[in-house]
């Protein structure tokens, strides 16, 4: 469960990195351009002569905007691009390119070019006849841009594209075509003709060409989704005669190799095109595999069978015409979709797991929302604790950090109660309590080192080095990370806002004003604020990430100012080193000392 939440953190971080910095279009709308296959197709195939269609029930049965009617989406609800758009503030979804008059919406909402059965390679999906390969999708976008220029002018179009999100979710069908048996008149079986390594490189070279073309056409913010664990889907397991619960290692090894190379390609593109352009890799493989392997933790009963359509083509799925239980008929939509991980042999479900917040889906994307429960909507006055209304997502972060820190904490007396606590049962008080127990018996430097180890354990291998490549210590990087801090650390410190500060004589919006630090007001401890938050966070960004950060807590009102790009002073020269305890509210205070004793150890 911890590893799953870690993946949620990484994916959310990647999306927020490129999306928090004002992505509204020139007309104030959120604009996105979507490329891919059936995972994100919003109805383009409805306008093609193709065997790959999703225009009949039960497709869309759980899609509220259409009232449960099919829209051409190859799932029972929303697609990943729909969810990302909603998370980032979109009020409606980009229309399919092939729909009538879709170009009228390009400036407001963007366009969806994705096509079911399509792939990176032109020949992928020939069996289904009609589809729009990635190369043609990019050509369609080029036509869209020309229409936008004619409508709003060249400068406004370029400005809009710089702020828009370009998402690419494609490659699964290429892999499936590589492994499926040969079919007369529809090409040969690549599996027996070229090696997996050559096939990976062939896919990547073609994908890279299209990514560069989109960048040349004006795209600047890209989310590229890796391929999921196709070796575990019913179609591949049936194809390889694998027993229930087993995955094809051969298929998954090819995908892991491809994803690893894709990550490297995106790193190189970031290096070559930074800072104007950024590519973020979304790790769908690990997220979805973890859900399959730990399905019961998410409230699912069946990870092996599709909800509808059987495991091998033609994958026909239809609604039942009576009220009887049709779960024994593979072609009839299952009665309880909430118990199934996949809706079709190829397609994951859009689901609401009882063990995850309702904003979550199988892609692991959500939004960090931490609401103040005070009637005023503002933090409580000094000396009073602000009331918060935390959701499961916030508790997930609290639990993850708390459990990581708990490995270093002094043993709690009520170990039986603690050991029986579920993952989502942790709250902010539990998180603060663990922090206090970490302080016990440790010096100031030892406390800071614990936090450093916990922060490093939250990141994938090599993340600090990649951060340094993506975000050299520039004004842009400082402002970018300030924008990221406000939504991403809301759960930890409470409400905050980006402010303008001066760094080396230059005014920039790389400051963050935390209005009343939740960590400080809940702990009431100066030592915890300095040793467990301020100093290790400063050091982590400055030394590990290479981006200077100075944090200046105000112990008069418990606010705090974060200044990205500003080098922090040595501890001995920092005013916090002389700060006395909160003698009236801190249980660990030493009233007789003029300086907090936790800062002297």
């Amino acid at each position: 469960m911890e590893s799953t939440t870690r993946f949620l953190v990484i994916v959310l971080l990647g999306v927020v990195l490129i999306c928090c910095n004002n992505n509204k279009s020139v007309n104030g709308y959120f604009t996105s351009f979507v490329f891919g296959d059936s995972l994100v197709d919003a109805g383009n195939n409805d306008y093609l002569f193709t065997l790959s269609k999703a225009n009949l029930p039960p497709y869309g049965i759980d899609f509220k905007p259409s009232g449960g009617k099919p829209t051409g989406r190859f799932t029972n609800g929303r697609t990943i691009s729909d969810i990302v758009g909603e998370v980032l503030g979109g009020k409606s979804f980009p229309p399919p390119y092939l729909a009538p008059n879709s170009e009228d919406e390009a400036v407001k909402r963007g366009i969806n070019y994705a096509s079911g059965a399509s792939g990176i390679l032109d020949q992928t999906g020939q069996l289904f006849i009609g589809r729009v390969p990635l190369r043609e999708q990019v050509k369609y976008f080029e036509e869209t841009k020309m229409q936008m220029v004619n409508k709003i002018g060249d400068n406004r179009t370029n400005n809009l594209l710089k702020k828009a999100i370009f998402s690419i979710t494609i490659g699964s069908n290429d892999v499936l075509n590589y492994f499926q048996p040969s079919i007369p008149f529809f090409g040969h079986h690549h599996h027996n003709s070229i090696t997996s390594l050559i096939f990976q490189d062939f896919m990547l070279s073609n994908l890279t060409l299209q990514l560069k073309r989109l960048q040349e056409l004006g795209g600047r913010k890209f989310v590229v989704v890796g391929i999921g664990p196709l070796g575990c889907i019913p179609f591949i397991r049936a194809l390889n005669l694998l027993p229930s619960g087993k995955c094809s290692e051969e298929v998954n090894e090819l995908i892991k190799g491809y994803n690893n190379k894709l990550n490297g390609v995106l790193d190189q593109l970031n290096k070559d095109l930074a800072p104007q352009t950024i590519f973020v890799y979304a790790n769908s493989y690990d997220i979805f595999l973890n859900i399959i392997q730990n399905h019961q933790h998410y409230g699912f009963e069946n990870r092996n069978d599709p909800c509808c359509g059987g495991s091998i083509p033609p994958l026909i799925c239809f609604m039942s015409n009576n009220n009887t239980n049709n779960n024994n008929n593979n072609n009839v939509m299952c009665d309880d979709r909430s118990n199934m991980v996949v809706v079709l042999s190829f397609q994951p479900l859009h689901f609401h797991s009882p063990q995850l917040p309702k904003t979550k889906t199988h892609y692991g994307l959500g939004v960090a929302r931490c609401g103040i429960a005070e009637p005023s909507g503002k933090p409580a006055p000094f000396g009073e604790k602000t009331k918060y209304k935390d959701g499961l997502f916030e508790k997930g972060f609290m639990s993850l950090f708390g459990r990581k820190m708990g490995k270093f904490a002094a043993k709690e007396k009520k170990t039986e109660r603690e050991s029986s606590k579920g993952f989502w049962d942790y709250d902010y008080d539990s998180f603060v309590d663990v922090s206090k127990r970490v302080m016990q018996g440790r010096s100031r430097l030892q406390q800071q080192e614990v936090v450093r180890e916990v922060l490093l354990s939250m990141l994938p291998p090599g993340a600090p080095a990649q951060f340094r490549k993506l975000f050299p210590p520039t004004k842009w990087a400082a402002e970018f990370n300030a924008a990221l801090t406000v939504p991403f650390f809301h759960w930890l410190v409470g409400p905050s806002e980006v402010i303008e500060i001066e760094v080396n004589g230059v005014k920039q919006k790389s400051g963050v004003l935390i209005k009343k630090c939740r960590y400080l007001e809940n702990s009431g401890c100066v030592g915890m604020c300095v040793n467990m938050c301020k100093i290790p966070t400063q050091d982590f960004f400055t030394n590990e990430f290479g981006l200077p950060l100075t944090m200046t807590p105000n112990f008069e009102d418990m606010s705090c100012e974060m200044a990205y790009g500003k080098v922090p002073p040595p501890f001995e020269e920092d005013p916090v080193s002389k700060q006395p305890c909160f003698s009236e509210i801190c249980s660990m205070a030493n009233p007789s000392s003029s300086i907090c004793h936790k800062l002297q150890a």
Side-chain angles (χ1 to χ4, degrees):
M1 202 64 173
E2 283 190 33
S3 59
T4 299
T5 309
R6 173 180 165 186
F7 296 138
L8 300 183
V9 171
I10 295 168
V11 172
L12 177 62
L13 174 60
V15 174
V16 172
L17 278 175
I18 73 168
C19 300
C20 281
N21 198 22
N22 185 18
N23 295 292
K24 297 291 181 72
S25 75
V26 290
N27 288 334
Y29 294 90
F30 171 80
T31 307
S32 64
F33 297 95
V34 181
F35 304 82
D37 51 32
S38 61
L39 290 173
V40 289
D41 186 352
N44 280 303
N45 278 24
D46 284 359
Y47 302 92
L48 297 175
F49 178 73
T50 178
L51 299 178
S52 177
K53 282 184 180 288
N55 60 345
L56 294 172
Y59 289 112
I61 189 173
D62 298 311
F63 191 65
K64 292 182 180 179
S66 69
K69 296 179 180 179
T71 62
R73 287 168 171 80
F74 287 77
T75 184
N76 60 308
R78 297 170 297 168
T79 68
I80 183 173
S81 60
D82 294 336
I83 295 158
V84 171
E86 284 185 337
V87 166
L88 299 175
K91 302 302 181 183
S92 57
F93 307 120
Y97 174 81
L98 295 178
N101 303 318
S102 63
E103 65 274 6
D104 296 339
E105 299 296 319
V107 174
K108 295 181 179 180
R109 295 187 284 167
I111 297 288
N112 186 312
Y113 304 90
S115 172
S118 69
I120 297 170
L121 308 178
D122 285 357
Q123 62 267 38
T124 294
Q126 288 179 335
L127 172 65
F128 296 92
I129 309 175
R131 75 268 182 232
V132 185
L134 180 60
R135 181 179 57 83
E136 291 187 29
Q137 294 180 31
V138 175
K139 286 181 64 177
Y140 284 161
F141 170 73
E142 190 170 0
E143 294 176 7
T144 298
K145 181 181 178 181
M146 293 173 61
Q147 294 166 351
M148 292 169 63
V149 170
N150 291 334
K151 187 174 184 178
I152 64 174
D154 193 62
N155 289 337
R156 293 183 70 196
T157 296
N158 289 333
N159 186 45
L160 182 149
L161 296 180
K162 287 179 181 178
K163 296 180 178 181
I165 303 299
F166 288 71
S167 67
I168 297 91
T169 308
I170 200 163
S172 296
N173 292 323
D174 299 283
V175 173
L176 291 173
N177 279 203
Y178 177 80
F179 283 101
Q180 74 184 19
S182 299
I183 299 175
F185 310 112
F186 288 97
H188 60 276
H189 185 200
H190 290 303
H191 189 200
N192 295 325
S193 58
I194 59 176
T195 68
S196 60
L197 295 178
I198 294 176
F199 186 69
Q200 292 168 359
D201 294 339
F202 190 43
M203 288 175 62
L204 283 168
S205 63
N206 281 271
L207 176 61
T208 304
L209 283 174
Q210 302 310 322
L211 293 177
K212 288 182 176 179
R213 181 58 183 150
L214 288 172
Q215 196 273 342
E216 291 170 356
L217 290 168
R220 293 295 179 266
K221 299 177 180 181
F222 295 86
V223 177
V224 184
V225 182
I227 301 176
L230 299 177
C232 300
I233 66 173
F235 173 71
I236 289 293
R237 289 191 285 106
L239 202 63
N240 291 274
L241 303 178
L242 295 174
S244 179
K246 297 293 183 180
C247 299
S248 170
E249 291 298 326
E250 183 183 17
V251 175
N252 282 350
E253 284 300 316
L254 182 146
I255 293 169
K256 286 190 289 185
Y258 168 84
N259 285 340
N260 185 54
K261 290 180 179 180
L262 172 60
N263 209 350
V265 167
L266 299 181
D267 286 342
Q268 188 60 48
L269 288 174
N270 280 320
K271 184 185 298 183
D272 296 340
L273 302 173
Q276 291 82 10
T277 304
I278 182 170
F279 292 85
V280 170
Y281 170 72
N283 185 356
S284 64
Y285 183 96
D286 287 330
I287 295 171
F288 192 51
L289 184 63
N290 192 274
I291 290 175
I292 292 174
Q293 293 175 340
N294 301 284
H295 61 288
Q296 292 181 334
H297 288 290
Y298 295 92
F300 300 113
E301 296 178 5
N302 192 330
R303 67 178 182 179
N304 298 315
D305 303 313
C307 181
C308 192
S311 297
I312 57 176
L315 306 176
I316 298 172
C317 181
F318 54 83
M319 295 290 293
S320 172
N321 292 323
N322 54 57
N323 296 323
T324 59
N325 188 318
N326 290 287
N327 283 350
N328 292 325
N329 187 336
N330 288 334
N331 296 115
V332 176
M333 174 64 77
C334 58
D335 292 330
D336 189 355
R337 294 176 295 282
S338 65
N339 288 331
M340 314 290 282
V341 176
V342 292
V343 61
L344 282 175
S345 182
F346 292 98
Q347 201 79 17
L349 269 165
H350 161 92
F351 61 74
H352 291 313
S353 165
Q355 299 301 323
L356 287 175
K358 290 188 177 181
T359 53
K360 295 295 174 297
T361 72
H362 67 278
Y363 297 102
L365 289 172
V367 60
R369 300 193 187 278
C370 175
I372 289 181
E374 297 289 340
S376 65
K378 300 178 181 179
F382 182 85
E384 299 178 19
K385 286 188 179 181
T386 304
K387 296 178 182 178
Y388 286 87
K389 186 177 181 180
D390 294 317
L392 291 178
F393 188 69
E394 288 77 38
K395 290 182 179 180
F397 275 98
M398 297 168 195
S399 299
L400 181 60
F401 276 86
R403 288 194 170 200
K404 292 280 187 180
M405 294 178 67
K407 298 176 182 178
F408 301 91
K411 297 296 182 182
E412 188 183 23
K413 293 181 180 180
K414 299 180 181 181
T415 54
E416 183 177 349
R417 177 179 64 87
E418 188 69 18
S419 61
S420 62
K421 185 180 294 185
F423 186 89
W424 298 103
D425 294 334
Y426 281 75
D427 56 18
Y428 203 87
D429 289 336
S430 303
F431 169 66
V432 171
D433 178 68
V434 171
S435 299
K436 289 181 179 179
R437 289 190 282 120
V438 167
M439 296 181 72
Q440 296 177 18
R442 286 188 172 87
S443 67
R444 172 173 59 86
L445 294 178
Q446 288 172 334
Q447 294 167 32
Q448 295 167 17
E449 180 59 25
V450 167
V451 178
R452 176 182 172 275
E453 290 188 31
V454 169
L455 290 174
L456 283 175
S457 71
M458 298 287 293
L459 301 174
Q466 294 301 319
F467 187 97
R468 286 173 177 265
K469 293 178 182 178
L470 285 174
F471 301 104
T474 62
K475 175 185 175 182
W476 174 84
E479 291 183 336
F480 217 37
N481 280 273
L484 166 67
T485 299
V486 173
F488 194 66
F489 292 100
H490 198 162
W491 72 273
L492 176 62
V493 299
S496 61
E497 62 182 358
V498 174
I499 59 174
E500 186 176 71
I501 61 174
E502 189 171 300
V503 179
N504 299 325
V506 177
K507 290 185 177 181
Q508 56 192 52
K509 291 187 176 181
S510 64
V512 176
L513 177 62
I514 300 169
K515 298 179 181 180
K516 187 183 182 186
C517 180
R518 187 179 185 183
Y519 192 63
L520 180 57
E521 76 166 336
N522 274 264
S523 66
C525 180
V526 170
M528 283 182 63
C529 167
V530 176
N531 296 337
M532 303 290 287
C533 182
K534 169 185 159 61
I535 299 298
T537 304
Q538 286 182 169
D539 289 348
F540 196 80
F541 271 88
T542 303
N543 300 323
E544 299 293 338
F545 283 166
L547 180 64
L549 170 65
T550 296
M551 298 176 66
T552 307
N554 183 335
F555 294 102
E556 297 294 326
D557 60 4
M558 293 189 173
S559 66
C560 182
E561 182 177 304
M562 303 176 70
Y564 287 96
K566 189 175 182 180
V567 178
F571 178 75
E572 295 75 15
E573 300 176 14
D574 196 316
V576 300
S577 65
K578 306 296 190 291
Q579 181 66 30
C581 289
F582 284 134
S583 58
E584 295 183 359
I585 60 176
C586 180
S587 60
M588 298 183 289
N590 183 357
S592 63
S593 177
S594 60
I595 299 176
C596 176
H597 62 291
K598 292 294 184 181
L599 303 179
Q600 298 173 310

